[in-house]
Amino acid sequence: MAVEDACGKGLSFTAMGIEETSSVRNGRGPSDQWADSVVVRPRTTERHITVHKRLVLGFAVSILTLIAVTAVAVLLGLRFDECHEEGAAARPSNTSTSRANQSREPHVNHRDEDAQPWRHLRLPASLRPRHYDLRLSVYMDNFTFSGEVTIEVECVNATRFVVLHADRLEVERAAVYSDSKKPGVLRVSRHFRYPPTQVYVIALHRELKPLRTYKVNITFVAQIENELLGFFRSSYVLNGERRYLAVTQFSPTHARKAFPCFDEPIYKAAFKISLKHESTYLSLSNMPVEMSVMDEDGWVTNHFSRTPRMSTYYLAWAVCNFTYKEASTDGGVVVRLYARPNAIQRGSADYALQITKRLLQFYEDYFKVKYSLPKLDLLAVPKHPYAAMENWGLSVFVEQKILLDPEVSSFSYLMELTMVVVHEICHQWFGDLVTPVWWEDVWLKEGFAHFFEYVGTDFLFPKWNMEKQRFLTDVLHEVMLLDGLASSHPISQQVYQATDIERVFDWIAYKKGAALIRMLANVMGQPVFQRGLNDYLMTHMYGNAARDDLWNKFSEALKRVGKDINIKEVMDCWTLKMGYPVVTITKNESLDNTVSISQEHFVYDIDAKIRNPELFNVSFQWQIPLTFAMGNSSHISSESVIWVSNRTELHKISLMDEGMWLLGNINQTGYFRVNYDLENWRLLINQLMKNPTIISVGNRAGLIDDVFNLARAGYLPQNIPLEMICYLPQEREFLPWHAASRALYQLDKLLDRTEEYSLFSDYVLRQVASMYHRLGWPVSSSNGSIMQAAYQTEELQREVIMLACSFGNKHCHRQAVTLISDWISSNKNRIPPNVRDIVYCTGVSLMDEDVWEFIWMKFHSTSAVSEKKVLLEALTCSDDTYLLNRLLNLSLTSDLVPDQDVIDVIIHVGRNPHGRHLAWRYFREKWDILNSRYGEALFMNSKLINGVTEFLNTESELNELKDFIRNSGGGAGPAFARAVEIVEANVRWHRLYEQSFYQWLRKSPNS
Ligand SMILES: [Zn+2]
């Protein structure tokens, strides 16, 4: 599943100029650690009105009945428990633990569990589904559906209970049949829902016998919800007429909202689905339609082919009246992109369709495993909780992540979209074909898909240099920011219950997962890495695997080439512990040609180590594959790899001259920071000033990110990073600029309300000025050439313009105002798409209210999805608090702003120094509404909480935050703890470092 890698293109103005508090993958920022995904609850009570009244009554009656039945069941269960006390106590503990490999389970009373298996948080392992026959009738007129499922199950352990998941379904009938030589109905003593674990229980008079198969048959009715989970609806307007569609989102635990099933990833089975609906709609599912039967009454039933063995959360179907475009791979896989008819007509689907076709081929070659299904449909929907979802053969995308209008889309939009597509196609292997055993290893599939976003995009556009370059700023630097907090967590997290499952989908899973996989791929070397992956996929296809299965395959692949590395041992220290090390390399003064290398847990808040000694166990060490090189003004030695596993080690190196510097973590392939003695930092800075190109582009970006973060955490004096960026006028490459601007915007957030702020902003502007004048502005709308050769220059130009406008370059401001005025007077938008966000925001901030109204009007009238988002964000750049207030209120209480964009509006208002307190106050006032609407959303709450608090930096603001958390009763899990830690760090930075920071700036010869 891809979550939006939030476009933090928000620029906002200080009195000095724009400030982009989050830097960007072209606008993507470190403050946007939490993705844009959202599960939105309905805005109105519409859902309750449109619900079929009979259904409501039915639900009410059934809920009452179930409460009564459950009470009886509990009593019966207790009695059952008493009877079996001895036997039950003697039985071994739960089978699901061993089955689910590494999953650690909470302490449960095993007697209860055996007696009342429905109370357990995981399904009992007594039954295994083999095949589902699912028939659904879909009523789009009243948004309900009815269904009948027949599940062929195999009995593993004798049991009297059929326990399977069902949520929000009204079960009408449930029966169990023997499937053996003597077929017949088994007598059901009772069947009931057990809401706490979202299961449905069929209790039988007699036990089911091991090794026999049975059929479970259940009929049910339910609503097509207006909430983006399970089987849900959404709508769009075509030629003035509202049209509806219904589509599924089952990951991670919502298949149970659409049909009764064994809704855990380990229970793979084959599915045969049929969908009946009015023939004015078409229907799609994972497999192609095998047979279509027309009824006389204008209804049609589509029977889809049987799926291979798969997990329930990858099942999907849709009922809509979209049209499509089609392409075929050389291997004969049919790829179709379905979208609203006007988008298909406009050609907005063409780009994604073409790259998908090429990507299927790419992955087949890379993994040496064929795509498993005869077709792959991509469905572009107006509303979706995530950027996209990789359902096997029917992947669903939110429109903004798959439809492209080349003439108005910026480069960053194109890149983001490309990467989402690359991500989802990768999942067809890593996820769909081989599925993690349990959710604690969700990072395995997400980390891989995120890593392959860069590898796959390099295949499509080799000149973008994604894996070697862009990965550093957008993944590595970003996640190290998050994982350097004391409130971080290990990448493999214990998962006990549904709420834990939501929690594991975070940036640590995606980005740290990808960074660790990249480190491993570099240690192993690509051919061996590829062989290991192939072996892993071939061994576990159509099944499940856990991280140890992958580590074993990698160790085996290494062994075959004569390398004996225990990958599990290496990787366990990276996956089971939170955070990462800082490696310090210093020249040994007493021993010639020797360096001392030490490691410690990097953390921004050094006091945290004292407060939580158990979290920062000093005896814990990582096994670090450290590459390093030595260099002087004209030459750099070839790198060598050493494994660092002790706290401090001495290493011999070849002869070193006086002026030679050391450089660690070559091309930043490792997931750690590197620190040096001050003398070495000075040598490196001198090298950059004289001739930066001796050091690779990746390492230049890496040095910048390390130096700023080491200083921020107090490992280095504050002037070292400021001295380093003096070399920027010499820097011709995009990536180091990108790393620098990310770091500068981080600092800017801390500084923009300080008295001497202009010392800082002037200093930045001086480093930017010469490059800004050299590169100038893009002349006209891009004509598609950006796709390849021009990428580096255009990205650099954009980055420098953004810095210039943000920190108050007068020429940059004038240029933006001229472009906006020209647009208003001519009503022709000639602003190059790549800088539109900067120009709109600058214009809104500097010009009068009419410009705000003009942008507001354009926001309503444009139909291009990419442009709409940019316009909306520009509205948050105003310095008029009345307008900002109006925008906030309109966003939350009207239908003018799409649900999933409301959070972004609040966050972007918060990034605007004129809107900060407004956003912070608004957030606190509306917390109850926001929490009830977005509370269930993956990523959403943490993103919002981070967005409105990250700039708080005084003692009194910290107290405000703590008071608020106390009074609101928490409720947002780890997000509040993280917010407090970040604000505490801000306060501490001011107390400890602000003075020395400004002192250096005042004295700087460069000032
Ligand atoms: Zn994914």
Side-chain angles (χ1 to χ4, degrees):
M1 162 158 83
V3 285
E4 279 182 45
D5 211 350
C7 273
K9 261 169 277 176
L11 294 120
S12 49
F13 271 74
T14 57
M16 306 298 306
I18 316 178
E19 144 210 63
E20 218 276 17
T21 44
S22 136
S23 74
V24 217
R25 157 198 289 178
N26 238 355
R28 307 211 287 172
S31 59
D32 276 335
Q33 291 130 340
W34 308 100
D36 276 353
S37 58
V38 49
V39 178
V40 182
R41 290 189 180 161
R43 191 191 285 275
T44 62
T45 52
E46 175 205 8
R47 154 180 160 212
H48 306 288
I49 300 160
T50 50
V51 166
H52 211 253
K53 287 208 175 89
R54 184 180 57 86
L55 209 53
V56 172
L57 201 66
F59 271 128
V61 170
S62 65
I63 285 165
L64 284 174
T65 316
L66 281 175
I67 290 169
V69 167
T70 310
V72 171
V74 168
L75 285 174
L76 282 172
L78 286 176
R79 280 181 45 209
F80 186 83
D81 194 25
E82 279 162 26
C83 302
H84 289 73
E85 196 166 324
E86 274 193 55
R91 236 167 277 170
S93 68
N94 55 50
T95 41
S96 56
T97 304
S98 51
R99 170 174 47 82
N101 201 320
Q102 297 142 340
S103 81
R104 288 148 290 199
E105 308 225 348
H107 274 291
V108 286
N109 184 331
H110 294 303
R111 288 179 306 162
D112 279 359
E113 176 201 335
D114 286 353
Q116 303 180 330
W118 54 89
R119 295 165 69 107
H120 189 3
L121 296 167
R122 298 280 297 275
L123 290 178
S126 315
L127 300 173
R128 293 196 133 266
R130 294 212 304 211
H131 179 263
Y132 290 74
D133 200 336
L134 177 63
R135 294 155 186 274
L136 296 170
S137 300
V138 179
Y139 308 101
M140 294 295 284
D141 55 342
N142 61 11
F143 302 119
T144 61
F145 65 104
S146 62
E148 174 174 6
V149 66
T150 305
I151 314 170
E152 190 186 306
V153 296
E154 184 190 335
C155 181
V156 180
N157 301 313
T159 179
R160 230 160 49 75
F161 304 106
V162 176
V163 182
L164 74 179
H165 287 109
D167 184 27
R168 294 191 194 161
L169 305 171
E170 190 194 341
V171 171
E172 291 181 327
R173 199 164 46 81
V176 181
Y177 301 89
S178 167
D179 208 20
S180 55
K181 284 171 201 152
K182 287 189 288 177
V185 188
L186 278 79
R187 276 182 63 208
V188 172
S189 67
R190 62 188 195 275
H191 54 101
F192 58 92
R193 207 157 69 103
Y194 187 68
T197 48
Q198 302 185 339
V199 293
Y200 201 83
V201 183
I202 306 170
L204 300 162
H205 275 282
R206 293 237 193 108
E207 278 193 337
L208 303 176
K209 298 278 186 297
L211 300 176
R212 293 206 190 150
T213 58
Y214 298 88
K215 281 200 168 118
V216 179
N217 177 276
I218 301 174
T219 55
F220 55 95
V221 291
Q223 299 168 53
I224 302 171
E225 295 281 353
N226 192 21
E227 189 172 293
L228 308 182
L229 297 171
F231 187 27
F232 69 93
R233 65 183 194 262
S234 68
S235 68
Y236 59 99
V237 176
L238 185 71
N239 307 325
E241 183 199 334
R242 186 158 290 277
R243 293 191 175 195
Y244 288 90
L245 65 140
V247 65
T248 57
Q249 169 60 37
F250 290 166
S251 174
T253 55
H254 309 297
R256 63 192 69 172
K257 293 181 170 65
F259 69 109
C261 57
F262 295 79
D263 198 11
E264 287 179 10
I266 190 82
Y267 293 110
K268 285 201 170 184
F271 295 83
K272 186 111 181 48
I273 295 177
S274 71
L275 289 170
K276 183 178 177 179
H277 49 82
E278 283 175 285
S279 58
T280 47
Y281 288 92
L282 63 88
S283 57
L284 301 166
S285 186
N286 306 77
M287 298 297 285
V289 174
E290 197 172 63
M291 187 175 58
S292 203
V293 181
M294 290 293 283
D295 286 353
E296 280 163 13
D297 55 1
W299 285 66
V300 64
T301 307
N302 282 331
H303 300 272
F304 296 91
S305 306
R306 180 186 159 112
T307 71
R309 281 189 84 225
M310 60 184 289
S311 298
T312 45
Y313 76 89
Y314 281 134
L315 213 62
W317 59 80
V319 176
C320 60
N321 34 36
F322 283 172
T323 52
Y324 66 89
K325 267 218 176 132
E326 181 180 293
S328 291
T329 67
D330 294 344
V333 178
V334 180
V335 185
R336 285 180 177 175
L337 197 154
Y338 285 84
R340 50 172 106 186
N342 50 350
I344 294 290
Q345 224 164 35
R346 215 169 41 206
S348 311
D350 299 1
Y351 173 73
L353 190 64
Q354 285 316 311
I355 61 168
T356 301
K357 183 183 138 180
R358 294 183 58 206
L359 283 166
L360 281 173
Q361 193 64 56
F362 163 74
Y363 284 121
E364 286 190 344
D365 293 346
Y366 194 103
F367 297 140
K368 301 198 170 53
V369 176
K370 288 260 169 257
Y371 175 67
S372 321
L373 308 182
K375 63 96 175 171
L376 173 59
D377 292 330
L378 313 174
L379 187 67
V381 297
K383 259 192 188 183
H384 196 262
Y386 313 108
M389 177 63 211
E390 70 270 16
N391 309 309
W392 214 0
L394 175 58
S395 293
V396 182
F397 295 73
V398 72
E399 287 176 341
Q400 287 98 316
K401 299 296 167 200
I402 194 150
L403 299 181
L404 180 87
D405 299 290
E407 70 285 357
V408 292
S409 297
S410 66
F411 176 78
S412 57
Y413 182 87
L414 172 99
M415 181 154 134
E416 180 100 28
L417 183 155
T418 304
M419 294 177 81
V420 171
V421 175
V422 177
H423 180 111
E424 301 312 324
I425 309 298
C426 176
H427 273 316
Q428 305 296 312
W429 285 263
F430 275 91
D432 289 295
L433 182 61
V434 178
T435 313
V437 168
W438 182 240
W439 298 104
E440 66 176 9
D441 275 338
V442 77
W443 71 272
L444 256 191
K445 81 178 176 81
E446 293 308 343
F448 262 99
H450 200 46
F451 172 65
F452 272 98
E453 283 178 35
Y454 294 81
V455 179
T457 306
D458 275 339
F459 162 76
L460 296 170
F461 304 105
K463 287 188 178 140
W464 290 6
N465 248 327
M466 300 296 287
E467 193 268 327
K468 290 219 158 32
Q469 299 196 4
R470 201 64 184 242
F471 187 92
L472 303 182
T473 47
D474 294 9
V475 181
L476 192 69
H477 298 174
E478 197 157 320
V479 73
M480 285 203 290
L481 208 56
L482 198 65
D483 203 21
L485 297 173
S487 54
S488 186
H489 60 77
I491 190 170
S492 281
Q493 293 192 79
Q494 301 190 353
V495 170
Y496 300 134
Q497 51 201 347
T499 47
D500 291 337
I501 295 173
E502 313 265 297
R503 196 165 49 86
V504 295
F505 283 91
D506 70 0
W507 272 158
I508 296 284
Y510 280 67
K511 292 189 186 284
K512 185 173 180 176
L516 293 182
I517 288 158
R518 178 169 173 269
M519 176 164 77
L520 197 51
N522 274 284
V523 169
M524 294 174 69
Q526 202 205 313
V528 184
F529 177 69
Q530 235 173 306
R531 218 164 305 142
L533 290 184
N534 167 262
D535 201 7
Y536 170 79
L537 289 170
M538 293 300 284
T539 307
H540 300 286
M541 52 169 57
Y542 306 107
N544 301 77
R547 58 178 180 274
D548 284 357
D549 297 315
L550 182 66
W551 304 153
N552 291 341
K553 293 297 176 190
F554 280 160
S555 294
E556 284 168 24
L558 282 163
K559 203 164 247 165
R560 279 200 290 272
V561 294
K563 287 186 188 164
D564 197 10
I565 303 176
N566 185 337
I567 295 291
K568 175 178 161 52
E569 216 175 275
V570 173
M571 293 310 287
D572 275 356
C573 65
W574 295 94
T575 59
L576 301 180
K577 185 179 159 61
M578 72 169 193
Y580 54 86
V582 48
V583 175
T584 305
I585 308 176
T586 47
K587 270 178 236 167
N588 195 295
E589 296 300 331
S590 50
L591 286 168
D592 276 352
N593 300 321
T594 308
V595 288
S596 120
I597 299 172
S598 60
Q599 58 162 306
E600 66 175 297
H601 190 152
F602 175 89
V603 63
Y604 288 100
D605 177 4
I606 294 172
D607 299 341
K609 291 192 182 179
I610 302 157
R611 284 197 310 273
N612 302 304
E614 72 286 357
L615 270 182
F616 300 95
N617 185 353
V618 284
S619 67
F620 182 89
Q621 266 104 51
W622 281 272
Q623 295 199 28
I624 305 165
L626 176 70
T627 44
F628 79 96
M630 291 169 294
N632 58 26
S633 55
S634 60
H635 172 260
I636 184 164
S637 70
S638 61
E639 64 197 80
S640 52
V641 189
I642 43 177
W643 284 91
V644 180
S645 51
N646 295 307
R647 214 170 145 60
T648 305
E649 300 179 359
L650 290 178
H651 284 269
K652 272 256 179 252
I653 50 169
S654 48
L655 210 60
M656 266 192 88
D657 292 341
E658 187 72 352
M660 283 187 106
W661 38 259
L662 290 160
L663 181 68
N665 200 6
I666 303 305
N667 299 321
Q668 273 216 316
T669 52
Y671 184 67
F672 48 87
R673 296 195 185 282
V674 186
N675 197 2
Y676 311 93
D677 53 70
L678 279 181
E679 169 62 17
N680 196 64
W681 278 113
R682 296 235 182 273
L683 289 169
L684 285 166
I685 291 171
N686 283 342
Q687 180 63 57
L688 291 173
M689 299 292 286
K690 271 191 231 142
N691 178 10
T693 55
I694 291 279
I695 296 170
S696 74
V697 174
N699 271 122
R700 267 136 60 198
L703 281 170
I704 292 171
D705 187 64
D706 276 347
V707 82
F708 272 94
N709 284 287
L710 289 167
R712 192 165 166 211
Y715 289 84
L716 278 178
Q718 301 305 308
N719 55 306
I720 305 291
L722 292 171
E723 286 181 36
M724 184 175 281
I725 58 161
C726 281
Y727 100 95
L728 281 176
Q730 263 82 261
E731 183 54 77
R732 306 289 162 93
E733 296 282 342
F734 162 72
L735 196 77
W737 274 100
H738 193 45
S741 72
R742 292 167 55 91
L744 290 169
Y745 292 131
Q746 278 289 331
L747 259 182
D748 191 68
K749 253 180 291 186
L750 279 175
L751 297 170
D752 67 1
R753 290 181 295 166
T754 53
E755 266 178 39
E756 295 179 286
Y757 176 73
S758 63
L759 271 178
F760 170 64
S761 59
D762 288 350
Y763 184 79
V764 174
L765 281 178
R766 267 195 304 282
Q767 316 312 325
V768 174
S770 63
M771 191 55 84
Y772 173 77
H773 290 294
R774 235 168 73 93
L775 295 175
W777 279 66
V779 276
S780 62
S781 290
S782 117
N783 53 9
S785 61
I786 192 166
M787 312 269 285
Q788 283 283 355
Y791 155 67
Q792 291 283 350
T793 355
E794 299 220 8
E795 285 294 89
L796 176 57
Q797 186 180 44
R798 177 192 150 75
E799 193 75 56
V800 171
I801 290 172
M802 184 141 63
L803 277 167
C805 268
S806 315
F807 284 93
N809 179 301
K810 292 283 177 297
H811 180 273
C812 196
H813 285 184
R814 276 199 302 277
Q815 184 72 11
V817 168
T818 311
L819 285 165
I820 290 276
S821 306
D822 171 65
W823 183 18
I824 294 174
S825 60
S826 67
N827 205 22
K828 266 209 191 99
N829 190 345
R830 283 183 278 254
I831 305 166
N834 225 22
V835 292
R836 279 189 184 177
D837 54 342
I838 308 172
V839 172
Y840 296 173
C841 185
T842 311
V844 165
S845 164
L846 294 176
M847 299 163 83
D848 60 19
E849 195 182 326
D850 293 347
V851 172
W852 195 91
E853 297 291 349
F854 177 78
I855 299 281
W856 177 243
M857 185 189 77
K858 290 290 175 192
F859 164 70
H860 288 295
S861 61
T862 184
S863 58
V865 284
S866 57
E867 181 73 355
K868 232 181 169 56
K869 193 88 196 275
V870 176
L871 288 162
L872 180 63
E873 286 173 5
L875 294 167
T876 67
C877 298
S878 171
D879 57 8
D880 183 335
T881 45
Y882 165 78
L883 289 176
L884 292 177
N885 222 340
R886 187 175 143 203
L887 182 66
L888 286 171
N889 284 318
L890 279 173
S891 302
L892 196 63
T893 57
S894 73
D895 275 328
L896 296 169
V897 174
D899 275 335
Q900 62 261 42
D901 291 338
V902 174
I903 296 280
D904 282 332
V905 170
I906 303 171
I907 291 172
H908 282 272
V909 169
R911 286 193 189 150
N912 174 350
H914 296 283
R916 285 190 176 169
H917 284 283
L918 194 64
W920 172 223
R921 198 178 61 223
Y922 193 80
F923 165 81
R924 282 174 289 167
E925 280 170 15
K926 306 291 178 192
W927 168 246
D928 289 341
I929 302 172
L930 291 166
N931 192 37
S932 73
R933 197 195 285 180
Y934 301 103
E936 268 183 49
L938 306 182
F939 292 92
M940 213 60 224
N941 257 347
S942 19
K943 184 186 171 192
L944 175 64
I945 290 166
N946 182 61
V948 296
T949 59
E950 60 175 354
F951 55 82
L952 304 174
N953 60 27
T954 64
E955 284 288 351
S956 71
E957 286 170 344
L958 177 62
N959 289 333
E960 269 177 27
L961 174 62
K962 286 179 174 169
D963 285 348
F964 170 71
I965 295 171
R966 236 189 331 270
N967 298 333
S968 68
F976 277 135
R978 191 163 39 232
V980 169
E981 189 185 345
I982 290 170
V983 177
E984 279 173 347
N986 293 348
V987 174
R988 194 175 49 248
W989 190 90
H990 281 287
R991 193 179 65 233
L992 297 178
Y993 307 123
E994 185 190 327
Q995 226 188 347
S996 63
F997 181 86
Y998 277 127
Q999 203 172 12
W1000 186 85
L1001 278 177
R1002 275 195 298 272
K1003 282 197 262 173
S1004 161
N1006 217 289
S1007 299

